């Protein structure tokens, strides 16, 4: 396993992380969740991603129970939570990035995850109805109180991240070190264009999500396939299926799968290796419903150095979505 710093912070994170969206406390049994955590940890993964909203808190409960059972030394891994959407409650006090929710959600996550502090605490989305100053102050205070070590954002705009940094700098507060955006071969602009000035500018680190576009990039979806076990066939994710199980994306995924076979990789390995090969990505977050999937995906690291300029050009020729670099 390779380890990178989380942006300009000193925190070493494994280039592959493991997350629990849709899976823990929902799609998979606790025993599978345990096998997945053990497989990840044994492979050197030290970054475990969670959020209050995942399975309305049950994902964190499952992870917390397992971390307790497994008894890994707390100094060997990082665990995260994210606040914004709430853990199921729909009242205005139960979600958002105001001080009340951020503090209460942090306490609730600590209880569910059974840890004394969160290594990284994310603002899961921007909150247009809360002054950014209040959010920055609250995150700073949670750090001062020892409840969180670092804080970050998820799917914020570059302008919002800069605003948080400016406010933090002017007031001698600790700003965000990491952003958590979607990043995969079908979705690139935010990471490759919008945030381009922030890596050196504010030292932004990235923990990126959905390297397989929820499974599309494994090439296993087709327009007529209805395997209920796969994520995008789940009823509650019809909105995500609508965006992703579309002819153009499936065609691209199929062509990438054929190219991966030429390289001797699986489609998942090619897609994950491509994400890891971007040095701006501190940690590519994996998801899995089966141990075999995770083992396959971990082997992506063997393919990173095979992504030569020629191979990358072939990939660009297939995906046809190379972002136009910003003009500085
Ligand atoms: P992926 O895009 O990699 O999708 C993972 C899913 O793809 C698995 O659960 C599995 O679903 C399928 N899959 C994985 N590997 C294989 C394989 N080798 N062969 C076939 N199918 C495979 O990642 P996620 O979307 O899960 O994102 C990773 C993590 O990022 C999340 O768990 C979460 O922690 C974080 N995240 C953060 C978000 C944010 O807003 N900040 C949003 C989304 C995710 P199945 O078996 O059901 O097909």
């Amino acid at each position: 396993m390779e380890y990178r710093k989380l942006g300009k912070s000193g925190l070493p994170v494994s280039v592959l992380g493991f997350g629990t969206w849709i899976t823990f406390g929902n799609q998979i049994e606790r025993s599978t969740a345990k096998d997945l955590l053990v497989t990840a940890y044994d492979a050197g993964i030290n970054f475990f991603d969670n959020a209050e909203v995942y399975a309305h808190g049950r994902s964190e409960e499952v992870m917390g129970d397992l971390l307790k059972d497994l008894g890994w030394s707390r100094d060997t891994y990082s665990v995260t939570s994210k606040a914004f959407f709430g853990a199921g409650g729909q009242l205005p006090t139960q979600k958002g990035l105001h001080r009340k929710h951020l503090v209460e959600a942090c306490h609730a996550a600590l209880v569910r995850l059974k840890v004394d502090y969160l290594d990284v605490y994310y603002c899961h989305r921007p909150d247009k109805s809360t002054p950014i100053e209040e959010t920055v102050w609250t995150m700073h205070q949670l750090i001062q109180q020892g409840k969180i070590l670092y804080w970050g954002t998820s799917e914020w705009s570059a302008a919002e991240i800069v605003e948080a940094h400016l406010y933090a700098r002017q007031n001698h507060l600790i700003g965000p070190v990491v952003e958590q955006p979607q990043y995969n071969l079908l979705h690139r602009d935010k990471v490759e264009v919008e945030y381009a000035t922030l890596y050196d500018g504010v030292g932004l680190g990235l923990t990126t999500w959905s390297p397989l576009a929820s499974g599309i990039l494994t090439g296993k979806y087709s327009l007529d396939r209805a395997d209920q076990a796969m994520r995008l066939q789940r009823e509650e994710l019809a909105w995500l299926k609508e965006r992703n199980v579309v002819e153009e994306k499936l065609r691209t995924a199929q062509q990438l799968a054929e190219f991966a076979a030429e390289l001797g990789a699986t489609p998942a390995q090619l897609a994950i290796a491509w994400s890891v090969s971007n040095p701006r990505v501190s940690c590519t977050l994996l998801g899995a419903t089966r141990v075999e999937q995770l083992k396959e995906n971990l082997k992506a690291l063997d393919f990173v150095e095979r992504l030569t300029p020629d191979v990358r050009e072939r990939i660009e020729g297939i995906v046809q979505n190379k972002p136009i670099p910003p003009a500085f």
Side-chain angles (χ1 to χ4, degrees):
M1 183 61 65
E2 179 192 338
Y3 298 87
R4 292 180 186 163
K5 295 292 187 179
L6 189 62
K8 72 170 180 195
S9 84
L11 184 70
V13 294
S14 45
V15 289
L16 296 178
F18 184 71
T20 61
W21 183 49
I22 312 289
T23 55
F24 280 36
N26 184 9
Q27 197 180 3
I28 62 174
E29 298 294 327
R30 191 172 284 243
S31 59
T32 310
K34 183 173 186 177
D35 293 344
L36 285 165
L37 276 190
V38 170
T39 304
Y41 185 80
D42 287 350
I45 284 183
N46 72 0
F47 196 85
F48 296 98
D49 189 63
N50 223 315
E52 60 170 356
V53 70
Y54 295 171
H56 291 166
R58 287 194 308 281
S59 167
E60 292 185 338
E61 276 167 12
V62 170
M63 188 179 269
D65 288 349
L66 294 175
L67 288 174
K68 194 169 167 226
D69 283 359
L70 289 163
W72 298 329
S73 176
R74 186 66 183 87
D75 58 6
T76 61
Y77 65 90
S78 290
V79 66
T80 82
S81 183
K82 310 185 202 81
F84 172 75
F85 293 105
Q90 292 307 315
L91 297 174
T93 47
Q94 295 177 305
K95 45 191 177 176
L97 298 182
H98 46 82
R99 181 173 286 119
K100 181 168 172 62
H101 184 62
L102 283 178
V103 168
E104 288 171 351
C106 178
H107 291 169
L110 292 175
V111 170
R112 287 190 294 256
L113 286 163
K114 300 178 182 59
V115 289
D116 297 327
Y117 57 90
L118 300 171
D119 296 276
V120 185
Y121 190 36
Y122 293 91
C123 297
H124 210 157
R125 289 294 180 270
D127 177 358
K128 314 277 183 213
S129 69
T130 296
I132 218 157
E133 304 90 278
E134 180 172 333
T135 297
V136 175
W137 258 111
T138 306
M139 292 309 223
H140 176 83
Q141 284 165 336
L142 287 170
I143 292 176
Q144 302 292 79
Q145 292 164 1
K147 291 174 185 162
I148 66 173
L149 303 187
Y150 301 90
W151 75 279
T153 58
S154 180
E155 297 292 340
W156 281 30
S157 69
E160 288 159 337
I161 295 170
V162 167
E163 197 185 339
H165 270 276
L166 282 178
Y167 184 77
R169 203 168 292 173
Q170 281 159 2
N171 293 278
H172 308 290
L173 306 176
I174 300 170
V177 294
V178 59
E179 157 63 36
Q180 187 167 134
Q182 180 176 180
Y183 185 55
N184 57 55
L185 275 160
L186 301 173
H187 193 101
R188 303 168 60 177
D189 280 13
K190 228 174 164 81
V191 165
E192 295 184 37
V193 181
E194 185 179 343
Y195 297 153
T197 57
L198 301 188
Y199 305 120
D200 296 329
V202 300
L204 188 72
L206 297 178
T207 57
T208 56
W209 56 269
S210 285
L212 302 178
S214 275
I216 293 289
L217 289 168
T218 64
K220 71 180 180 180
Y221 283 87
S222 64
L223 283 178
D224 48 7
R225 181 134 178 213
D227 175 351
Q228 292 307 314
M230 299 192 300
R231 175 186 294 180
L232 295 176
Q233 302 294 355
R234 296 175 70 79
E235 232 168 76
E236 79 268 23
L237 293 175
W239 59 274
L240 194 59
K241 179 179 180 180
E242 211 166 283
R243 281 186 208 165
N244 283 293
V245 186
V246 294
E247 210 171 336
E248 195 190 336
K249 290 186 180 180
L250 298 181
R251 198 179 325 113
T252 303
Q254 209 46 55
Q255 289 171 10
L256 285 168
E258 285 160 21
F259 183 50
E262 262 184 58
L263 296 174
T266 67
Q269 288 163 348
L270 178 66
I272 292 163
W274 177 87
S275 170
V276 172
S277 74
N278 183 338
R280 300 305 192 181
V281 176
S282 326
C283 175
T284 296
L285 294 172
L286 305 178
T289 54
R290 299 205 308 275
V291 169
E292 302 76 57
Q293 290 177 350
L294 182 57
K295 286 186 173 162
E296 174 189 332
N297 299 351
L298 286 163
K299 288 202 191 109
L301 295 182
D302 300 341
F303 288 95
V304 178
E305 60 184 36
R306 304 265 300 279
L307 297 181
T308 59
D310 285 353
V311 168
R312 302 183 78 85
E313 267 321 296
R314 290 276 306 273
I315 293 173
E316 295 295 0
I318 294 170
V319 294
Q320 297 284 327
N321 61 1
K322 192 172 184 168
I324 299 163
F328 295 120

